[in-house]
Amino acid sequence: RQRQMCIRDRGYLMAKVEKDPFRCTECGWTSQKWVGRCGECQAWGVVEEIAAPKKLSLVAGNVTAKATPIGDVDLSAAHARPTGVSELDRVLGGGLVPGAAILLAGEPGVGKSTLLLSVAAQSAAKGISALYISGEESASQVRLRAERINAIDPQLFLASETDLGAVIAHIDSVKPQLLIIDSVQTIGSSAADGAPGGVTQVREVAGALIRICKDRDITLLLVGHVTKDGSIAGPRLLEHIVDVVLQFEGERHSRLRLIRAIKNRFGASDEVGCFDLSDTGIESVLDPTGLFTSRHAEPVPGTCVTVTLEGRRPLLAEIQALVSAGRENDYGNARRVVSGLDSARTSMTLAVLELRANVRVGGRDVYAATVGGMKMTEPAADLALALAVASAAKGLALPSDLVAIGEVGLAGEIRKVSGVNRRLQEAYRLGFKRALVPTGSDTKIDGMEIVEVSRLDAALKRVKITGE
């Protein structure tokens, strides 16, 4: 019966190939002819010809290791080794695990190569041999960067290669415990069709390197490029076959860099690490709150502090607003300029502020920005944004020891957000004594005055800013 089922399935696959011989490697959509763009997921360059299915075999294969009870599995090889970069260890869940495959993605120039070169040097200093393969720069270029960031160590080996066979030869020669490939899109394999960086090539190269590293307990760090919309370039399979996916973020004009864990088989997937990128290298920022707030000798209208959650870490952030004097009966030329905030959410908050709290912003230019180049997209910053704009519009300063947390609804209500207690504890640690939070938060901290508000107009009255 099993043989009949296999023959039937093989016949179905043969008929499928004959009917639609081309298939999308991303979503599985099939077509009778080759097209450059998938008709289902709209991805480019992912439609390939389906090879005829191989003859099915029912012969048992060789096993690599005998199956053992789960309680008898040895855990000694699965312990993480610290990298020496504390913020990266925090995101990874303790450090690098032997045999793990880690994908680090980010925009060009954000500092991926600098971070990994520093990780390689720190690991080499602890006696962990590291091999850095660069497919984008020559060995001399990488050496210059290593001297600038003081990443020279006898246990750190360097090579510049773009062929998979040469990379494997270096692995056999050096026998490293840590392998860094910068980047996977630049390495090509003669066993796969297409140019390096293509879907087939990336899948073949990444699969081969992961197999080798898992067999030899080598930690693998792959650098990946991103597309224009910020997603990882290449096949989605690349994110599935690796153990950890990290996203490296940062503005070109800011020294702050954030690394987020999108996928992590060895720890939490919502951790965030903060780094300071400078000419002398990249350093961990253990307490980054001071980067997102400014100190004023006297209270200034148009500023309000909130607490945002980046993963599990609460960070204080300051929102600044500037509102022009405006012109009578001029509602068509008002400008709305934001930096670090979501423009659509800012426009919605301004509309609620005018219609529900009677603060006139129509016909007046409004500029809103975050301090330190921080990006805030979570709704918990709505209340702080509304208070900052109202403060700027009225010319009245808010108390310097006040933080505001809450989501603003279209009806003017203040909605609850997650992690209020954790946010307020961080604010109290940094010297803030008063807080505005949504009704129902049920949070008490000794030494801190916590006021619950249900509506936006009530919040403005509590800070003595009222509408016209």
Side-chain angles (χ1 to χ4, degrees), residues 75-196:
L75 294 177
S76 59
H79 291 300
R81 299 177 300 208
T83 64
V85 181
S86 58
E87 287 296 287
L88 181 60
D89 292 340
R90 173 193 182 102
V91 177
L92 291 175
L96 300 175
V97 177
I102 303 170
L103 175 63
L104 177 65
E107 295 181 355
V110 76
K112 301 185 299 296
S113 301
T114 303
L115 174 63
L116 294 184
L117 191 59
S118 177
V119 170
Q122 295 280 359
S123 301
K126 294 183 177 183
I128 301 173
S129 59
L131 174 60
Y132 189 101
I133 303 291
S134 176
E136 300 177 344
E137 300 175 287
S138 64
S140 58
Q141 289 176 310
V142 180
R143 166 68 188 274
L144 287 176
R145 182 189 293 114
E147 288 185 345
R148 190 180 76 245
I149 65 175
N150 193 22
I152 304 296
D153 193 275
Q155 290 295 315
L156 174 56
F157 298 86
L158 176 65
S160 178
E161 298 289 350
T162 57
D163 180 69
L164 178 61
V167 172
I168 296 175
H170 283 296
I171 296 174
D172 294 335
S173 175
V174 176
K175 294 180 174 57
Q177 296 172 279
L178 172 63
L179 174 63
I180 298 175
I181 304 295
D182 186 11
S183 64
V184 67
Q185 278 89 358
T186 60
I187 307 298
S189 173
S190 58
D193 298 331

Side-chain angles (χ1 to χ4, degrees), residues 24-346:
C24 174
T25 58
E26 297 286 335
C27 65
W29 176 78
T30 58
S31 174
Q32 294 184 356
K33 61 180 181 179
W34 182 89
V35 291
R37 187 177 188 179
C38 174
E40 182 69 23
C41 63
Q42 303 300 316
W44 288 94
V46 295
V47 179
E48 298 180 353
E49 186 175 4
I50 306 173
K54 298 180 179 180
K55 186 176 181 180
L56 298 178
S57 175
L58 302 180
V59 180
N62 298 325
V63 297
T64 57
K66 183 180 179 181
T68 58
I70 189 170
D72 297 338
V73 176
D74 185 17
L75 294 177
S76 59
H79 291 300
R81 299 177 300 208
T83 64
V85 181
S86 58
E87 287 296 287
L88 181 60
D89 292 340
R90 173 193 182 102
V91 177
L92 291 175
L96 300 175
V97 177
I102 303 170
L103 175 63
L104 177 65
E107 295 181 355
V110 76
K112 301 185 299 296
S113 301
T114 303
L115 174 63
L116 294 184
L117 191 59
S118 177
V119 170
Q122 295 280 359
S123 301
K126 294 183 177 183
I128 301 173
S129 59
L131 174 60
Y132 189 101
I133 303 291
S134 176
E136 300 177 344
E137 300 175 287
S138 64
S140 58
Q141 289 176 310
V142 180
R143 166 68 188 274
L144 287 176
R145 182 189 293 114
E147 288 185 345
R148 190 180 76 245
I149 65 175
N150 193 22
I152 304 296
D153 193 275
Q155 290 295 315
L156 174 56
F157 298 86
L158 176 65
S160 178
E161 298 289 350
T162 57
D163 180 69
L164 178 61
V167 172
I168 296 175
H170 283 296
I171 296 174
D172 294 335
S173 175
V174 176
K175 294 180 174 57
Q177 296 172 279
L178 172 63
L179 174 63
I180 298 175
I181 304 295
D182 186 11
S183 64
V184 67
Q185 278 89 358
T186 60
I187 307 298
S189 173
S190 58
D193 298 331
V199 174
T200 306
Q201 284 282 347
V202 171
R203 183 169 56 238
E204 176 67 25
V205 170
L209 290 174
I210 290 175
R211 287 192 300 270
I212 292 174
C213 290
K214 286 190 178 296
D215 290 341
R216 307 182 186 183
D217 288 334
I218 302 173
T219 304
L220 174 64
L221 278 167
L222 297 173
V223 176
H225 295 165
V226 296
T227 58
K228 292 182 179 179
D229 60 354
S231 59
I232 301 175
R236 299 290 296 184
L237 177 68
L238 186 60
E239 299 179 46
H240 292 292
I241 62 178
V242 297
D243 301 306
V244 181
V245 179
L246 304 177
Q247 187 80 24
F248 206 36
E249 304 173 355
E251 296 288 340
R252 285 183 175 271
H253 305 292
S254 174
R255 293 173 51 173
L256 176 68
R257 297 293 185 266
L258 296 178
I259 186 168
R260 303 177 187 271
I262 301 176
K263 170 188 175 182
N264 191 357
R265 290 175 177 166
F266 309 111
S269 60
D270 57 354
E271 283 288 359
V272 176
C274 299
F275 298 90
D276 182 20
L277 181 65
S278 63
D279 295 337
T280 58
I282 189 167
E283 297 179 355
S284 299
V285 180
L286 301 180
D287 192 1
T289 295
L291 300 174
F292 310 122
T293 57
S294 58
R295 299 296 180 183
H296 306 284
E298 297 180 357
V300 179
T303 64
C304 187
V305 177
T306 186
V307 187
T308 181
L309 282 181
E310 292 290 344
R312 297 182 177 182
R313 170 181 288 182
L315 297 177
L316 264 71
E318 180 179 333
I319 298 178
Q320 297 182 345
L322 181 65
V323 181
S324 67
R327 295 173 291 275
E328 293 293 335
N329 301 323
D330 186 4
Y331 291 89
N333 298 321
R335 300 187 63 187
R336 303 287 187 261
V337 181
V338 299
S339 176
L341 299 166
D342 182 67
S343 59
R345 194 153 197 93
T346 300

